[in-house]
C-alpha cells in the first residue's frame, strides 16, 4: 500500500517535472505568462482600494482581511490550476474518449488524468497569493496556516470540479454545468461573505463550498479556531472521497470513442 | 495454455439520434431519441500463449470495442473475459502490469522528450526500479536498433520512428500480451516492414502473445498464424491462416500465355477472369475440377508460360465480409 | 460596403444555432451581477443615499450596462483569433483578397455579437428589474441614442482588440497585452463609474478608451442628458477613426515585416 502510494507520487512528480520542462522550452512566453498573471491579479486589488476609501469595513472585513481573502482566492485557484489543470477539462477528456491511455496504466486513473497537464499562469497566481499574504501581515504561524489552507482549498476546488465534470458520464452537456460551478466558486471567493445574506450564505457553506475553502481560512488565520480548522480539513477529505466515488462509478459508463463514431 | 478467454461477450451502445438544424437540436433536448447499437454480440474465442492473432473486420465491426473490453477500458454488458486469469473489469491495475497496448496513433509519448526519457517515464508508471529500466532500454536499443534516434526529441522523429517508440514504450514492463490496434496505418512499406520485424522479434524473444488488428493484409499475412474475423459485432471466422488460404476458398488463379485461343465458356468449375486473346486468366474451383484437369483443357502443348497462384488474401477477406453481411 | 454587410448577415445566421450556449454564457455574468448587487446593497445604508453622486439604483444599472457591453464583446476570443491568424500565417492569404482585413475582422465579429448583444441586453434588463423592481426613466429618443452609443462602443472595442491582436506581428504573444487592456476596462470602467477615482485619474480616464467603450454609454443610461449624449458620440467617432487608422497602420507594417522575412 505504502509502496503503491510512493510509486504513484513518483509518476505524478515526473509528469509535473516534464510539463514544466515542456513549458520552459519557450522561456519568454513562460515568464510573461507568470508575470502578467501577477499583474492581472494586482489590477483587481484596485477595486478594493476604491471601496475602502469609502468605508473602513466591507462585509465585516478590514482591508487587510480582504487582502488575505484575495491571497487565499488566488492561492486556491493557483494550486488547483497548476497541479490539477485537467480536472477543469475533464468532461472534454471523457466526451472525446481520451481516458483510454490512462485506464491501461496500473495507476490511479483520476489522479493520472488531472495531473497530466499544468497551467503556467497559475504559477503567477500562487506567487501573487504569497506576495499579497505577506502584505496582509506575515508571521510564521499565519504562513503555515496559509499554506495548509491554499492546499486544502485547491483540493476542495479540484474535487468540486471533478464531481461536476464527472457528470459527463451521464449527461452530454455536463461541461456547461461544470463551467457554471467553476465560475461560482471563483467569483464568490473574492468577495467578503458578510455582504451575502440568507439563502446565498447557506449555499456558500454547502453546495458551493467557497465558505469552507476560502471564508473559514480567513477567519482561522485572523484568529485561530480549532473547530473551523477541523471543518476545513474534514470537508476537504470528504470531497476528495466523494469525487473519487462519483468518477469511478461514472467510469463504468465510459464509452471511449465509440459514441462519436456512431453519431447520425 | 489459454492466455485469453472470451465467452459470450456482448456490448451495446445507446446512441442519441440527432436531427439536423436548430429545430432538431431543440427537439433532441426536449425529447431525446435513442438507438441501440449492438457493437459486440455474443463473441467467444480463446488465445494460447505465444500466438500472434489477427483480429480483423471492416470498420465499425466491433474490433475496437472488443479490444477495449479486454483492456479494461470498456465494461462488457454480458459475457466474461479472462486474461491471464484476471477479469479486466475488476482487476484493472493487476492486469495493466501484464499487458501492453498500442492504440493506433494515439500519442502516449511526451513529444518534447527523447525516446530514452519517455521509456524511463513508462518505467516509472510500471514501478520498475531505475537500474532495471536502464538495463531494459539498453537491451531494446540493441534488439530493435533504436540507436539512430533514441536521443532525439520525439517531436523531431518521423511517423514511423514514433510508432516504433510507441510500441517499444509499451514493452518496457515486459507485458505477456500486447494489444496492437492498427500499428502500421499510414506508414510507408519500408517502415511497415520494420514494424513487422519488430513484432516478430518480440514474439520470438519474449514469447509475447500478440493480439493485432489491422486493415493491412500484409501485416496479417506476414505475421499471423491465426485469424479471427468479426463483422457486425459477430464472430464470423476463427481459423488458421493456412485453412483460410487453402480450404476456406478452394480456388486457384491460373494465368497462361497461349499459342492459340481456347474457348473455356460453359466449362464447369472455371470462371474466366480475363481473356485478352492469347493471355488468359481463369479461376479454378478445385471442388469441382482439379487444376490438372483445367490445364489439360488448355492443352499443355499450347501453353507458352503459366502461373498458378492462390486467390489473394485480400480478396478472400473482402469476400468473407460481403457474404456474411 | 455591401460585402461587409453580407459578412455580418452570414455570421448572424450561423450564430443563431448557438443560442443555448449564449444563454448559458449569461449565467457566469449573472453571478457577477448578483455579487455586485449584494455588494451595493450592503454598502448603501438606504436606497436614496448618494455615494460619489450615484444612488443605489444607478450604481446597479451602471454595472449591468457595462457588464452587458463587456460580455457581448467576447474580446478574448477575437484577440486569440487574430493573433492565431497572424502566427499561423493565415493572414498573408488575405493580402491578395479584395477586402480590407481590418474591416473584414470588424464585420465578422460584429455579426458574431449581434445575437449575443440582443439576448444579453434583454437578460440584463430583466436581471436589473428583478433586483430593483424598476427601470430608469428613458424615452424613445434617448433609447435610440443609447443603442447607437452601445453599437459605437462595441465597434471601438473590436477595433482596439484587433490592434492588440495584430501586435502579434511584432511580439511572440499578444495575449498578455490583451489581459492588461481587459483589466483596465474591467477595473476602471466596469465596476465603478469614473467619479469613484481620484480627480487626476478622472481627467485621464475622460480621454481614455474607458470613456468611450463603457463609462459613456452606461452613464447615459443611468442619467441621460442630450449634452452628454453628444459629447459621448463625438468622442466615440474620434476614437473610431483613430483606432481604425491605427489598425491599418499596424497591419501594413506587420505584413511588410513578414514579406521581408519571407514569411
Amino acid at each position: 500500500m505504502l509502496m503503491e502510494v510512493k510509486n504513484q507520487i513518483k509518476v505524478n512528480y515526473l509528469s509535473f517535472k516534464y510539463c514544466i520542462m515542456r513549458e520552459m522550452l519557450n522561456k519568454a512566453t513562460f515568464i510573461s505568462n507568470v508575470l502578467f498573471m501577477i499583474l492581472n491579479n494586482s489590477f483587481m486589488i484596485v477595486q478594493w482600494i476604491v471601496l475602502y476609501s469609502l468605508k473602513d469595513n466591507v462585509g465585516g472585513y478590514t482591508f487587510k482581511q480582504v487582502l488575505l481573502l484575495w491571497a487565499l482566492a488566488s492561492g486556491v485557484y493557483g494550486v488547483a490550476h497548476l497541479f490539477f489543470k485537467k480536472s477543469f477539462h475533464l468532461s472534454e477528456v471523457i466526451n472525446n474518449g481520451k481516458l483510454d491511455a490512462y485506464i491501461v496504466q496500473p495507476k490511479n486513473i483520476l489522479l493520472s488524468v488531472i495531473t497530466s497537464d499544468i497551467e503556467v499562469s497559475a504559477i503567477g497566481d500562487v506567487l501573487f497569493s504569497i506576495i499579497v499574504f505577506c502584505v496582509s501581515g506575515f508571521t510564521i504561524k499565519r504562513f503555515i496556516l496559509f499554506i495548509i489552507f491554499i492546499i486544502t482549498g485547491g483540493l476542495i476546488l479540484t474535487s468540486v470540479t471533478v464531481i461536476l465534470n464527472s457528470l459527463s458520464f451521464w449527461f452530454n452537456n455536463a461541461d456547461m454545468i461544470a463551467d457554471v460551478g467553476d465560475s461560482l466558486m471563483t467569483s464568490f471567493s473574492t468577495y467578503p461573505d458578510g455582504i451575502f445574506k440568507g439563502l446565498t450564505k447557506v449555499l456558500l457553506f454547502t453546495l458551493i463550498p467557497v465558505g469552507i475553502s476560502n471564508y473559514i481560512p480567513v477567519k482561522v488565520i485572523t484568529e485561530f479556531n480549532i473547530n473551523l480548522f477541523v471543518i476545513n480539513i474534514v470537508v476537504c477529505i470528504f470531497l476528495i472521497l466523494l469525487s473519487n466515488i462519483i468518477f469511478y462509478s461514472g467510469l463504468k459508463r465510459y464509452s471511449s470513442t465509440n459514441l462519436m463514431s456512431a453519431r447520425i | 495454455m489459454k492466455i485469453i478467454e472470451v465467452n459470450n461477450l456482448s456490448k451495446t451502445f445507446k446512441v442519441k439520434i440527432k436531427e439536423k438544424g436548430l429545430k432538431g437540436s431543440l427537439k433532441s433536448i426536449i425529447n431525446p431519441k435513442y438507438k441501440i447499437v449492438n457493437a459486440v454480440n455474443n463473441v467467444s474465442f480463446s488465445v494460447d500463449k505465444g500466438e500472434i492473432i489477427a483480429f480483423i473486420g471492416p470498420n465499425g465491426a466491433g474490433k475496437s470495442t472488443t479490444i477495449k473490453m479486454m483492456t479494461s477500458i470498456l465494461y462488457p454488458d454480458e459475457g466474461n473475459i479472462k486474461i491471464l486469469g484476471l477479469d479486466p473489469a475488476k482487476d484493472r491495475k493487476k492486469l495493466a502490469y501484464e499487458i501492453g497496448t498500442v492504440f493506433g496513433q494515439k500519442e502516449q509519448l511526451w513529444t518534447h522528450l527523447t525516446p530514452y526519457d519517455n521509456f524511463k517515464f513508462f518505467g516509472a508508471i510500471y514501478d520498475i526500479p531505475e537500474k532495471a529500466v536502464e538495463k531494459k532500454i539498453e537491451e531494446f536499443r540493441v534488439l530493435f536498433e533504436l540507436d539512430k534516434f533514441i536521443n532525439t526529441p520525439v517531436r523531431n522523429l518521423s511517423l514511423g520512428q514514433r510508432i516504433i517508440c510507441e510500441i517499444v514504450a509499451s514493452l518496457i514492463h515486459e507485458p505477456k500480451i500486447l494489444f496492437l490496434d492498427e500499428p502500421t496505418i499510414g506508414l510507408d512499406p519500408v517502415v511497415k516492414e520494420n514494424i513487422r520485424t519488430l513484432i516478430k522479434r518480440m514474439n520470438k524473444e519474449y514469447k509475447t502473445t500478440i493480439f493485432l488488428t489491422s486493415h493491412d493484409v500484409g501485416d496479417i499475412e506476414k505475421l499471423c498464424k491465426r485469424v479471427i474475423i468479426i463483422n457486425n459485432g459477430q464472430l464470423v471466422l476463427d481459423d488458421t491462416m493456412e485453412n483460410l488460404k487453402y480450404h476456406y476458398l478452394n480456388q486457384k488463379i491460373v494465368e497462361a500465355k497461349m499459342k492459340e485461343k481456347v474457348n473455356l465458356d460453359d466449362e464447369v468449375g472455371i470462371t474466366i477472369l480475363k481473356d485478352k486473346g492469347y493471355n488468359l486468366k481463369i479461376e479454378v474451383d478445385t471442388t469441382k475440377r482439379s487444376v490438372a484437369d483445367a490445364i489439360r483443357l488448355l492443352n499443355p502443348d499450347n501453353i507458352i508460360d503459366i502461373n498458378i497462384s492462390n486467390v489473394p488474401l485480400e480478396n478472400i477477406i473482402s469476400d468473407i465480409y460481403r457474404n456474411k453481411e | 460596403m455591401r460585402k461587409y454587410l453580407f459578412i455580418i448577415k452570414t455570421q448572424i445566421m450561423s450564430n443563431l444555432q448557438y443560442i443555448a450556449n449564449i444563454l448559458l454564457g449569461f449565467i457566469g455574468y449573472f453571478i457577477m451581477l448578483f455579487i455586485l448587487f449584494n455588494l451595493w446593497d450592503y454598502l448603501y445604508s438606504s436606497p436614496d443615499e448618494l455615494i460619489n453622486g450615484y444612488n443605489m439604483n444607478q450604481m446597479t444599472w451602471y454595472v449591468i450596462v457595462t457588464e452587458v457591453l463587456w460580455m457581448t464583446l467576447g474580446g478574448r476570443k477575437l484577440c486569440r483569433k487574430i493573433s492565431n491568424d497572424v502566427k499561423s500565417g493565415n493572414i498573408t492569404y488575405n493580402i491578395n483578397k479584395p477586402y480590407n482585413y481590418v474591416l473584414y475582422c470588424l464585420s465578422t465579429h460584429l455579426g458574431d455579437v449581434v445575437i449575443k448583444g440582443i439576448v444579453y441586453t434583454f437578460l440584463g434588463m430583466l436581471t436589473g428589474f428583478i433586483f430593483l423592481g424598476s427601470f430608469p426613466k428613458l424615452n424613445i429618443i434617448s433609447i435610440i441614442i443609447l443603442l447607437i452609443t452601445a453599437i459605437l462602443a462595441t465597434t471601438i472595442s473590436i477595433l482596439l482588440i484587433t490592434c492588440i491582436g495584430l501586435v502579434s506581428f511584432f511580439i511572440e504573444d499578444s495575449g498578455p497585452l490583451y489581459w492588461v487592456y481587459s483589466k483596465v476596462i474591467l477595473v476602471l470602467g466596469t465596476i465603478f463609474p469614473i467619479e469613484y477615482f481620484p480627480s487626476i485619474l478622472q481627467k485621464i480616464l475622460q480621454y481614455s478608451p474607458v470613456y468611450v467603450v463603457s463609462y459613456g454609454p452606461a452613464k447615459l443610461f443611468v442619467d441621460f442628458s442630450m449634452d452628454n449624449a453628444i459629447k459621448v458620440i463625438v468622442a466615440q467617432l474620434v476614437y473610431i477613426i483613430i483606432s481604425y487608422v491605427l489598425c491599418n497602420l499596424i497591419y501594413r507594417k506587420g505584413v511588410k515585416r513578414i514579406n521581408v522575412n519571407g514569411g
Side-chain angles (χ1 to χ4, degrees), chain C residues 8 16 18 23 29 31 49 54-55 59 94 105-106 123 128-129 148 153 156 165 173 178 184 188 206 224 235 239 257:
Chain C
I8 295 181
L16 262 176
Y18 299 116
L23 289 174
Y29 291 94
I31 297 166
E49 188 190 343
Y54 292 82
N55 64 29
M59 271 315 294
N94 289 302
C105 277
L106 180 64
L123 290 175
F129 189 77
I148 292 171
I156 297 166
D173 183 8
Y178 172 74
V184 169
L188 301 177
Q206 292 258 340
F224 190 86
Y239 250 97
R257 203 176 134 101

Side-chain angles (χ1 to χ4, degrees), chain A residues 58 63 88 98 185 214 261:
Chain A
V58 178
F63 183 61
F88 298 87
K98 301 264 178 188
M185 290 288 287
N214 294 64
S261 58

Side-chain angles (χ1 to χ4, degrees), chain B residues 201-230:
Chain B
R201 227 173 250 179
M202 69 201 185
N203 174 256
K204 206 173 139 214
E205 293 285 327
Y206 304 104
K207 302 278 172 287
T208 315
T209 307
I210 288 159
F211 199 85
L212 170 95
T213 77
S214 181
H215 284 296
D216 189 304
V217 177
D219 287 349
I220 302 161
E221 207 162 14
K222 289 185 179 147
L223 290 171
C224 307
K225 295 225 167 59
R226 195 174 135 208
V227 186
I228 297 176
I229 300 180
I230 181 171

Side-chain angles (χ1 to χ4, degrees), chain A residues 90-111:
Chain A
L90 193 58
S91 13
E92 219 176 290
V93 176
I94 293 166
N95 289 334
N96 297 340
K98 301 264 178 188
L99 279 179
D100 299 12
Y102 304 99
I103 295 176
V104 297
Q105 294 172 357
K107 287 280 164 284
N108 182 300
I109 301 169
L110 179 56
L111 200 55

Side-chain angles (χ1 to χ4, degrees), chain A residues 26 36 40 55 59 176 197, chain C residues 24 41-43 176 179 183:
Chain A
N26 192 336
F36 274 99
N40 170 55
K55 305 217 162 166
M176 294 184 175
K197 293 175 291 207
Chain C
L24 276 158
D41 194 36
Y42 176 87
L43 287 174
W179 260 355
K183 289 305 138 177

Side-chain angles (χ1 to χ4, degrees), chain C residues 1-260:
Chain C
M1 194 62 194
R2 247 185 61 211
K3 58 187 161 197
Y4 301 112
L5 285 175
F6 179 76
I7 293 173
I8 295 181
K9 201 183 119 203
T10 328
Q11 284 307 112
I12 294 176
M13 296 312 286
S14 66
N15 269 283
L16 262 176
Q17 34 183 328
Y18 299 116
I19 225 152
N21 295 32
I22 292 175
L23 289 174
L24 276 158
F26 186 77
I27 295 175
Y29 291 94
F30 178 82
I31 297 166
M32 227 29 244
L33 291 176
F34 177 78
I35 291 174
L36 289 171
F37 172 73
N38 273 277
L39 181 68
W40 296 124
D41 194 36
Y42 176 87
L43 287 174
Y44 279 90
S45 40
S46 81
D48 302 324
E49 188 190 343
L50 288 182
I51 300 179
N52 288 324
Y54 292 82
N55 64 29
M56 187 182 149
N57 271 17
Q58 286 178 317
M59 271 315 294
T60 309
W61 280 116
Y62 180 88
V63 174
I64 289 173
V65 174
T66 53
E67 285 277 353
V68 165
L69 281 171
W70 178 252
M71 66 182 137
T72 300
L73 182 62
R76 186 168 13 173
K77 197 180 131 204
L78 172 66
C79 184
R80 204 178 291 158
K81 189 191 152 273
I82 293 172
S83 45
N84 282 347
D85 267 1
V86 172
K87 274 189 266 179
S88 67
N90 269 346
I91 205 162
T92 48
Y93 295 121
N94 289 302
I95 295 173
N96 302 325
K97 296 232 176 96
Y99 56 63
N100 175 306
Y101 180 76
V102 176
L103 284 180
Y104 169 76
C105 277
L106 180 64
S107 41
T108 331
H109 201 71
L110 268 181
D112 248 351
V113 301
V114 167
I115 304 279
K116 231 167 45 171
I118 294 169
V119 174
Y120 286 173
T121 306
F122 174 74
L123 290 175
M125 294 303 121
L126 190 68
T127 309
F129 189 77
I130 291 168
F131 287 163
L132 301 164
S134 66
F135 288 112
K137 290 185 188 65
L138 292 166
N139 58 32
I140 284 291
I141 295 170
S142 51
I143 289 176
I144 292 170
I145 292 175
L146 275 169
L147 284 177
I148 292 171
T149 57
I151 293 166
L152 291 176
T154 308
T155 309
I156 297 166
S157 297
I158 294 174
L159 286 171
L160 289 174
I161 292 167
T162 306
C163 279
I164 294 171
L166 288 172
V167 173
S168 308
F169 273 120
F170 310 99
I171 59 172
E172 174 85 26
D173 183 8
S174 66
L177 260 183
Y178 172 74
W179 260 355
V180 173
Y181 171 80
S182 68
K183 289 305 138 177
V184 169
I185 301 292
L186 273 178
V187 173
L188 301 177
T190 306
I191 307 171
F192 306 111
I194 57 182
E195 287 86 349
Y196 271 68
F197 300 104
S199 50
I200 307 164
L201 190 56
Q202 276 187 42
K203 287 216 179 76
I204 301 169
L205 289 177
Q206 292 258 340
Y207 297 97
S208 77
V210 169
Y211 181 79
V212 284
V213 304
S214 60
Y215 172 81
K219 169 88 182 182
L220 284 179
F221 188 84
V222 299
D223 185 14
F224 190 86
S225 81
M226 210 33 118
D227 282 359
N228 265 333
I230 292 165
K231 252 172 82 183
V232 170
I233 291 178
V234 169
Q236 285 182 323
L237 292 175
V238 171
Y239 250 97
I240 286 185
I241 294 166
I242 294 173
S243 52
Y244 178 72
V245 170
L246 192 63
C247 273
N248 277 298
L249 219 66
I250 299 177
Y251 177 72
R252 275 199 211 120
K253 283 238 165 188
V255 169
K256 253 191 209 141
R257 203 176 134 101
I258 280 193
N259 286 343
V260 171

Side-chain angles (χ1 to χ4, degrees), chain B residues 8 17 22 24 38 45 56 62 98 115 122 125 154 160 181 196 202 219 223 254 264-265 269 283 302 304 310 319 324:
Chain B
N8 310 99
I17 299 174
L22 179 66
N38 287 320
F45 59 86
I56 59 177
E98 309 292 341
F122 274 82
I125 286 178
V154 172
D181 197 358
R196 286 172 198 151
M202 69 201 185
D219 287 349
L223 290 171
V254 176
L264 293 177
D265 294 345
E283 192 179 278
N302 196 13
I304 301 170
N310 293 315
D319 235 49
K324 298 286 171 159

Side-chain angles (χ1 to χ4, degrees), chain B residues 50-210:
Chain B
E51 274 192 285
I52 304 185
I53 299 280
F55 190 63
I56 59 177
N59 287 329
K63 290 176 309 225
S64 290
T65 306
T66 309
I67 285 209
K68 281 173 182 168
M69 285 191 277
M70 293 163 78
T71 51
S72 314
I73 293 170
L74 295 175
Y75 276 66
D77 290 345
E78 273 167 59
N80 64 68
I81 307 172
K82 281 270 176 292
I83 309 235
L84 296 152
L86 298 168
D87 180 351
K90 289 186 191 120
D91 311 304
R92 180 187 69 85
K93 271 193 194 175
K94 264 190 216 158
L95 183 63
Y97 285 107
E98 309 292 341
I99 62 170
T101 48
V102 178
F103 287 155
Q105 323 213 301
K106 263 185 199 165
E107 302 273 335
Q108 308 189 58
L109 303 175
W110 296 82
T111 52
H112 66 294
L113 299 179
T114 62
Y116 185 85
D117 287 333
N118 268 298
F119 297 155
K120 288 193 90 169
F121 182 70
F122 274 82
I125 286 178
Y126 292 97
D127 310 336
I128 308 167
E130 203 87 353
K131 284 264 153 55
V133 179
E134 277 161 26
K135 223 179 114 196
K136 195 85 215 161
I137 298 173
E138 178 58 24
E139 186 184 326
F140 284 165
R141 190 180 62 80
V142 179
L143 184 67
F144 301 130
E145 295 155 11
L146 307 175
D147 274 314
K148 261 188 240 158
F149 51 86
I150 195 160
N151 289 317
T152 314
V154 172
R155 67 192 140 97
N156 298 336
L157 299 185
S158 67
L159 183 58
Q161 290 168 332
R162 269 191 210 203
I163 305 286
I164 288 178
C165 289
E166 293 260 359
I167 298 176
V168 172
S170 64
L171 292 175
I172 287 288
H173 59 293
E174 294 181 42
K176 300 200 173 65
I177 308 170
L178 185 66
F179 293 92
L180 292 162
D181 197 358
E182 304 274 358
T184 62
I185 195 166
L187 301 175
D188 68 56
V190 180
V191 179
K192 273 186 187 176
E193 207 44 57
N194 286 343
I195 287 177
R196 286 172 198 151
T197 315
L198 188 158
I199 294 172
K200 256 191 225 159
R201 227 173 250 179
M202 69 201 185
N203 174 256
K204 206 173 139 214
E205 293 285 327
Y206 304 104
K207 302 278 172 287
T208 315
T209 307
I210 288 159

